[in-house]
């Protein structure tokens, strides 16, 4: 079942085109990663999904309803966490959590207390005294304490320390296990790699890659570390071989799938003693798409 369906969405601000034919889907019980650098169009896409902005072209449906026309009804089943949370300075953290839960229309008091404990938040303090990380905790607690069916998280771990990031990861996996859907926009690629089933990469307002995490890795380079009896000469000149270096007696390089057979044939001539092949980290896959530019749209 498709929870969120973005079809061929474009968004223009005057002559400037912020989004160009963007499409992505988030299915029930799935965590979908949405990655790209600042200015690539992530937040604009999310604002269109939330009904804050109206698409210039294309359509967005959430739970089968129009994101612009039916946004009030849709928001009853959505929890949204931005990357920069602004709170009412004279309210306490606990009061803000309760307010957010009431605005969303659902909430679990026991879950609220559990999340306050797990995120190590003092809910009695005024929000004006909170650090950025604590303001982020307030929004996350309020989101995960609701009965939302779709969680839209836009750089949600901004300001959190590594321990709290781990708690956030646990919360995402818990709502996924409960059959809820998550759209996770992030530039922390290790986070996306740990949590997401699918990923869409946006560059300059366009989706340049989309698919299952495993499938995307198969289409890209792999890391190879090889130890040979004879010293390998001019290996970096081979077609499909990149980033060659020597590490602790091994030759380490990135290899394109199309060149595997030829490279293995060449290596055999040097007497292979050990060979390790591993998937390229998502961060490296991501950077391959930006080798020709930084992806900024201004």
């Amino acid at each position: 079942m498709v929870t969120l369906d973005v079809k061929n969405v474009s968004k223009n601000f005057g002559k400037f085109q912020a989004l160009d034919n963007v499409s992505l889907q988030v299915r029930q019980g799935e965590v979908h990663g949405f990655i790209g650098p600042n200015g690539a169009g992530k937040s604009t896409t999310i604002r269109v999904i939330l009904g804050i902005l109206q698409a210039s072209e294309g359509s967005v449906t959430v739970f089968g309803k129009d994101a612009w026309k039916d946004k009030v009804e849709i928001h009853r089943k959505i929890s949204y966490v931005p990357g920069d949370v602004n709170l009412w300075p004279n309210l306490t953290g606990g009061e803000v959590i309760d307010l957010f839960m009431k605005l969303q229309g659902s909430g679990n008091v026991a879950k609220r207390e559990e999340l306050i404990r797990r995120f190590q938040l003092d809910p009695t303090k005024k929000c004006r005294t909170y650090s950025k990380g604590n303001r982020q905790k307030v929004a996350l607690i309020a989101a995960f304490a609701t009965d939302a069916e779709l969680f839209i998280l836009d750089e949600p771990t901004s300001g959190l320390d590594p321990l709290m990031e781990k708690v956030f990861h646990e919360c995402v996996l818990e709502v996924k296990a409960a059959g809820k859907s998550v759209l996770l926009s992030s530039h922390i690629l290790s986070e996306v790699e740990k949590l997401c089933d699918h990923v869409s990469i946006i560059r300059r307002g366009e989706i340049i890659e989309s698919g299952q995490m495993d499938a995307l890795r198969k289409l890209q380079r792999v890391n190879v570390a090889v130890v040979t009896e004879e010293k390998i000469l001019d290996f970096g000149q081979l077609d499909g071989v990149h980033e060659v270096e020597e590490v602790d007696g091994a030759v380490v390089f990135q290899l394109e799938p199309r060149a595997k057979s030829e490279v293995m044939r060449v290596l055999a001539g040097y007497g292979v003693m050990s060979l390790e092949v591993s998937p390229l980290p998502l961060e490296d896959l991501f950077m391959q798409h930006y080798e020709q530019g930084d992806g900024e749209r201004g």
Side-chain angles (χ1 to χ4, degrees):
M1 178 180 173
V2 176
T3 301
L4 167 64
D5 193 5
V6 179
K7 285 186 179 178
N8 306 318
V9 166
S10 295
K11 178 61 183 175
N12 302 319
F13 296 98
K15 295 182 179 180
F16 174 69
Q17 187 168 31
L19 301 177
D20 184 7
N21 204 36
V22 169
S23 295
L24 62 86
Q25 284 188 340
V26 181
R27 297 184 177 276
Q28 184 177 359
E30 167 183 289
V31 181
H32 191 111
F34 190 36
I35 61 177
N38 292 334
K42 301 189 303 296
S43 292
T44 300
T45 303
I46 287 174
R47 290 187 182 110
V48 172
I49 293 169
L50 291 170
I52 298 170
L53 296 174
Q54 186 175 18
S56 303
E57 296 178 19
S59 66
V60 178
T61 56
V62 186
F63 313 117
K65 300 182 182 298
D66 186 276
W68 179 255
K69 295 178 182 178
D70 303 315
K71 54 190 168 187
V72 174
E73 183 178 353
I74 288 169
H75 280 207
R76 295 192 182 104
K77 297 196 280 185
I78 288 179
S79 277
Y80 166 61
V81 178
D84 191 8
V85 177
N86 292 310
L87 304 175
W88 294 270
N90 290 324
L91 295 182
T92 66
E95 289 170 338
V96 171
I97 291 169
D98 291 340
L99 177 59
F100 282 155
M101 290 169 64
K102 288 178 182 177
L103 288 172
Q104 199 272 344
S106 68
N108 183 316
V109 175
K111 185 68 172 177
R112 171 193 184 274
E113 297 305 313
E114 177 198 340
L115 288 166
I116 286 173
R117 177 183 56 78
R118 289 169 67 182
F119 278 102
Q120 300 177 13
L121 177 76
D122 183 348
T124 64
K125 288 187 175 181
K126 298 285 188 181
C127 290
R128 64 171 175 266
T129 68
Y130 281 154
S131 65
K132 176 175 175 55
N134 279 327
R135 294 196 303 272
Q136 209 66 28
K137 290 178 186 180
V138 169
L140 289 169
I141 291 167
F144 287 121
T146 67
D147 298 324
E149 295 296 324
L150 172 62
F151 295 81
I152 299 178
L153 311 174
D154 188 4
E155 304 288 354
T157 56
S158 176
L160 296 186
D161 62 41
L163 180 60
M164 293 300 102
E165 286 180 8
K166 183 175 183 295
V167 175
F168 166 76
H169 294 171
E170 292 169 353
C171 290
V172 170
L173 294 177
E174 286 165 9
V175 298
K176 174 187 173 182
K180 310 299 180 68
S181 305
V182 180
L183 178 65
L184 173 61
S185 171
S186 179
H187 68 276
I188 303 175
L189 304 182
S190 59
E191 184 170 79
V192 174
E193 193 166 29
K194 288 177 183 175
L195 296 175
C196 297
D197 307 294
H198 288 71
V199 63
S200 294
I201 301 174
I202 189 168
R203 176 185 182 184
R204 298 180 180 178
E206 298 181 52
I207 299 294
I208 57 172
E209 192 81 78
S210 187
Q212 293 184 346
M213 286 292 303
D214 290 343
L216 287 179
R217 288 195 188 98
K218 289 175 184 176
L219 293 173
Q220 304 294 338
R221 303 173 189 171
V222 293
N223 270 331
V224 180
V226 61
V227 178
T228 55
E229 295 175 356
E230 299 180 28
K231 184 176 178 62
I232 301 175
L233 302 174
D234 299 325
F235 193 61
Q237 304 302 313
L238 286 176
D239 184 40
V241 173
H242 307 271
E243 310 293 338
V244 180
E245 57 181 338
E246 288 193 24
V247 179
D248 298 329
V251 176
V252 179
F253 58 94
Q254 294 179 9
L255 176 62
E256 294 181 28
R258 62 181 177 82
K260 285 180 181 178
S261 297
E262 176 61 18
V263 169
M264 292 303 108
R265 185 189 65 79
V266 171
L267 288 175
Y270 289 95
V272 176
M273 298 174 64
S274 70
L275 179 71
E276 294 183 11
V277 180
S278 58
L280 210 59
L282 179 59
E283 185 160 2
D284 292 338
L285 297 185
F286 180 69
M287 290 308 299
Q288 287 179 28
H289 291 289
Y290 292 88
E291 288 175 349
Q292 303 304 317
D294 62 8
E296 297 292 330
R297 290 186 63 83

